[in-house]
Amino acid sequence: MRVAVIPNQKVDKMQEICGQVIDTLKEFGAEVETPNGDASFLSDEAATCIANCDVVVALGGDGTMIHIAKIAAPFGKPVLGINCGHLGFMPDLEQDELHLLKALIDGAYTIEERMMLEVTVNDGTPMLALNELAISRTVLKPMATVHIQSGGKPALDYQADGVLVATPTGSTAYSLSAGGPVIDPSVQCLLVTPVCPHALTARSYIFGADEELSLTVSNAHPDAVFYTLDGTVGASLTEKDTVMVRRSQTCARFINIKSRAFYDVLKHKLIDRAVTK
């Protein structure tokens, strides 16, 4: 088995951690490929490693895993995360569980597919998001109104600091912080959550996974509104722009060795941590 080990070099002691992972994988009989030196996990070199492998091991936190999974998804490569961050909600293994990598080499794991979003701006090049599309106001700029259509028909209007269109995976990220619901990742849907809305009645809405949403803004000052995908890859929006969001035909694929139930992870990582702090 050929394994691509993709580290986030910005993590403390990553060189040491990466060396331990590579040594462990080789001990279990894997061929290992990794980007040279200080190459970013978002680099073309990392993408080449991913394309040439059978499976991917991502070293970092949740953000690292999300971005590596987006690179791996078009190649159909499954990703195993090893938590080197703080929360570690998405990675399957912790740093003290490297002995479980033998199950990866033995094929003793399951693969979970997660839906992604396909986002286009003004019929431009389609872009992928695993967590969410965010439309937000710039700091110190007034609120704008975001208009949402579903299937070409008016559905929602929000005057707010921003609006999120999230996947079930993204329901435990930015959307959760904005007051949105937790959605089991096995559910297929589009979650719309307003960020700091200027109305007591403004709430999250869940659309079917086959809906196509269209978002436009009004009452926007110049350079006051912008969009981002999973916290990166953004640009400003004007009242002439249209953002289209729908379910992508490409899925992110995650390797599960420990076979943890989603609600067990939710309780351990998000609920119990909050109670004990």
Side-chain angles (χ1 to χ4, degrees):
M1 174 182 285
R2 180 177 289 273
V3 181
V5 176
I6 312 296
N8 183 345
Q9 298 289 0
K10 295 182 179 180
V11 174
D12 290 340
K13 300 182 179 179
M14 178 50 71
Q15 187 173 357
E16 177 183 345
I17 298 168
C18 187
Q20 292 173 352
V21 172
I22 291 173
D23 290 345
T24 302
L25 287 168
K26 288 182 176 179
E27 179 183 338
F28 293 143
E31 296 181 46
V32 179
E33 185 172 343
T34 190
N36 292 322
D38 296 329
S40 167
F41 62 90
L42 299 176
S43 67
D44 291 339
E45 185 179 351
T48 299
C49 289
I50 291 171
N52 292 336
C53 75
D54 298 308
V55 298
V56 183
V57 174
L59 306 182
D62 291 327
T64 304
M65 190 168 178
I66 287 168
H67 293 300
I68 290 177
K70 287 201 296 183
I71 297 171
F75 299 110
K77 308 297 184 178
V79 179
L80 172 68
I82 297 179
N83 182 33
C84 305
H86 299 290
L87 178 61
F89 186 74
M90 297 186 67
D92 190 49
L93 301 184
E94 300 293 333
Q95 292 179 47
D96 60 356
E97 297 177 320
L98 298 188
H99 60 283
L100 295 178
L101 288 172
K102 188 174 190 307
L104 177 68
I105 308 307
D106 293 342
Y109 58 83
T110 60
I111 294 178
E112 179 183 10
E113 293 189 343
R114 299 282 187 96
M115 71 169 281
M116 302 177 73
L117 302 177
E118 179 183 292
V119 181
T120 58
V121 180
N122 300 330
D123 297 322
T125 302
M127 300 171 285
L128 290 177
L130 177 56
N131 268 357
E132 77 279 309
L133 158 76
I135 294 180
S136 309
R137 73 180 178 107
T138 307
V139 176
L140 302 181
K141 294 292 185 178
M143 291 181 179
T145 302
V146 180
H147 308 280
I148 301 175
Q149 291 189 344
S150 175
K153 298 180 180 180
L156 300 169
D157 297 299
Y158 291 114
Q159 186 179 18
D161 281 356
V163 172
L164 312 174
V165 181
T167 64
T169 297
S171 74
T172 54
Y174 191 177
S175 178
L176 182 65
S177 298
V182 173
I183 298 177
D184 189 303
S186 65
V187 176
Q188 301 285 294
C189 67
L190 301 175
L191 169 62
V192 175
T193 299
V195 179
C196 299
H198 191 61
L200 292 175
T201 56
R203 294 291 183 267
S204 297
Y205 282 81
I206 295 174
F207 292 85
D210 293 328
E211 293 291 328
E212 184 173 73
L213 303 182
S214 169
L215 293 87
T216 57
V217 298
S218 64
N219 303 322
H221 288 234
D223 299 320
V225 180
F226 62 97
Y227 76 89
T228 55
L229 304 177
D230 296 332
T232 61
V233 190
S236 61
L237 293 172
T238 71
E239 296 183 357
K240 297 180 180 179
D241 296 321
T242 300
V243 182
M244 303 296 298
V245 187
R246 64 183 177 183
R247 173 173 56 177
S248 173
Q249 296 302 307
T250 301
C251 292
R253 308 177 74 216
F254 294 109
I255 292 172
N256 293 321
I257 291 176
K258 298 189 315 191
S259 298
R260 302 174 300 169
F262 169 72
Y263 293 101
D264 288 339
V265 179
L266 183 72
K267 183 176 185 299
H268 175 63
K269 294 288 187 176
L270 294 183
I271 300 176
D272 289 348
R273 283 169 60 101
V275 171
T276 55
K277 283 186 177 181

